[in-house]
Amino acid sequence: MSGKTVSAIADVEFGAQLPSFTPDTSIAATRRFGRHVGWNTPRFTDHEGARKEGLPGAIVPGVMSQGFLGAMIHRWAPDAEIVAIDTVFRAPVLVDRPHTITGVVTDVDEDAGTVEIDITVANEAGETRVFGTATARLSKD
Amino acid sequence: MILDLHTHSIKSDDGRAKVANYCQWIRARGVPIDGFVLTEHRQFDFASDYGELSRKHDLVILKGAEVETEYGHVLVFGVTEALYGEFDFASTRLPLERVVEHCDAHGAVAVPCHPGRPRVGMSAHLAEHGVPKGVRIVEIHNGGSRDGEDERAVAMAEELGYLGVGGSDSHIVSHIGRCATEFPAPVGSEGALVEALRAEEFRAIPKGESTAG
Amino acid sequence: MAEAAVDEDVLALRERFLGREFDEVTFVINGDRFAEYAKVCGETAPRFTDPAHPDFQAPPTFVSTLVGGRSMPPDFPNLGGMGMDAGKGVEWKAPVRAGAKLTGKSHLHDIYTKTGRSGRMVFLVTRMELRDENGVHVANADTRTVIRERIKK
């Protein structure tokens, strides 16, 4: 399934793996997020400032991690409507450390035209830092 | 027989998985387990009957609970109505030794879970509270562990002479089976699970050994 | 939420605060801001990143960035610890377009507890209901905050 996009509910199989992608968790990205969107504080934009708060380094804002997960779904199904997305922040997503975004289809409701997707952000050690679920609506045609 | 002894469904406040989808996932992905135990947070789910799902997917689906004590979280296997009446499963401050005593008296087993985890694991509380009486088994492999937590759990179990089990601690469908426990004989009921645990013949399966991810 | 554990003092908080609206704020949605949000988050679909696209709209998760005037009722007791962001949820109901004027009304949607090393962790779920100028309910944005301190009894 990797690399392919889908447009209709009939294209989706239970257990399908969404193409994973490596989000931009660089300090430049969180600073850009801070300038244009918000969360422009040292905790997110400055490693030294974050360490002064007792963190191991700057962390990616939770709302940005949630945005990564939504982006992954749209990369897989560009016309999908994400009707619900729920994310649990289990551990900090550290800035300037590689993370992987993954998703797998765990329910397909062809009548409703919706799929449920498990979504996770994991670090390079494979530890889940953010997890959740999303419901996306796809075309029934 | 391999069982994932630690899973959560949407019955738990932070669970996002439907039991039917767990079953479908295990079969579709060939997750190498024969069943799982639903250990919902701070409750025992008397109402749900998973018999039909169990038969449909040929999977063992058992029920337990995950309660909270001064030593952190504890799995309880073999919950009965009589045991449920002995202490408040919903409490966040249960005394572990009393939980163990009640379990022993009612044919159940209490197993501290993710004991290497800060805050909610047993090892974080030994310095303050000492070694609790009555504990025989702890969860040494937990699918949600990070930052050396399983290593701490294994070390603590070795030091204190505990046996170890494994469970995924899955809250979403795709995490089921990440860790599990292997038993030498079939386990088809909560009572049989208690017997198997008390027989002390089982093996914890770590994440890397499973093909479940 | 199914049968959550609730201590008595938290039960009292639930009775007193759940469902009670405590904040109302108006947002004028800035298309440049959500397009930038989309790009930084890795969105590639032009309907989220290109203001010239005929279906230009905010990614559904964008509403999580809309922050109200206050996150808690003004008379909510101080639980003694610093709040940490434990999660976000969005229910999307209709597209949010550039220039839309949205009204966000907030209430506490859930309060529950778990144990932590130094006492209880109290989870507060704040829900902001977002409606457009025509009263159309476009989204719910939930924020789950955890406070790692024991409530004084």
Side-chain angles (χ1 to χ4, degrees), chain A residues 21 23-24 29-30 32-33 36-39 43 55 62-72 74-75 77-90 137, chain C residues 32-45 47-48 59-62 64-67 82-93 95 114 142 144 148:
Chain A
F21 86 101
D24 184 355
T30 57
R32 183 177 166 195
F33 192 90
H36 295 282
V37 183
W39 287 261
R43 176 184 293 199
L55 294 162
V63 288
M64 194 170 159
S65 290
Q66 192 189 42
F68 293 152
L69 293 162
M72 174 189 58
H74 289 132
R75 284 166 173 239
D79 298 323
E81 288 175 344
I82 299 173
V83 294
I85 183 165
D86 184 21
T87 46
V88 177
F89 303 146
R90 265 288 165 92
R137 189 157 54 218
Chain C
D32 291 337
R33 181 171 179 256
F34 73 63
E36 195 65 25
Y37 166 87
K39 285 184 259 187
V40 178
C41 290
E43 291 280 7
T44 52
R47 67 181 157 132
F48 302 123
T61 51
F62 176 74
S64 288
T65 72
L66 302 177
V67 179
M82 188 175 72
M84 297 285 287
D85 195 354
K88 299 277 184 199
V90 171
E91 286 177 20
W92 179 94
K93 296 174 186 294
K114 294 183 184 181
D142 290 356
R144 212 164 20 252
R148 296 180 189 277

Side-chain angles (χ1 to χ4, degrees), chain B residues 10-14 16 41-44 68-69 73 90-93 118-120 124-125, chain C residues 1-7 9 112-118 120-121 144 148 150-151 153:
Chain B
I10 52 175
K11 295 270 180 185
S12 288
D13 52 65
D14 55 355
R16 300 290 182 270
H41 289 295
R42 303 176 304 281
Q43 59 182 298
F44 183 78
E68 302 186 5
T69 76
H73 295 186
S91 170
T92 54
R93 303 185 194 90
R119 293 190 295 275
V120 294
H125 303 277
Chain C
M1 194 176 77
E3 300 180 47
V6 183
D7 295 333
D9 54 341
Y112 59 98
T113 60
K114 294 183 184 181
T115 47
R117 178 167 50 190
S118 58
R120 289 187 307 188
M121 298 189 294
R144 212 164 20 252
R148 296 180 189 277
R150 183 186 296 274
I151 292 177
K153 293 211 174 185

Side-chain angles (χ1 to χ4, degrees), chain C residues 69-99:
Chain C
R70 55 170 60 250
S71 59
M72 297 292 291
D75 52 342
F76 196 83
N78 182 353
L79 302 183
M82 188 175 72
M84 297 285 287
D85 195 354
K88 299 277 184 199
V90 171
E91 286 177 20
W92 179 94
K93 296 174 186 294
V96 172
R97 310 280 184 187

Side-chain angles (χ1 to χ4, degrees), chain A residues 83-104:
Chain A
V83 294
I85 183 165
D86 184 21
T87 46
V88 177
F89 303 146
R90 265 288 165 92
V93 173
L94 298 179
V95 168
D96 284 330
R97 303 297 291 269
H99 288 75
T100 305
I101 310 283
T102 56
V104 286

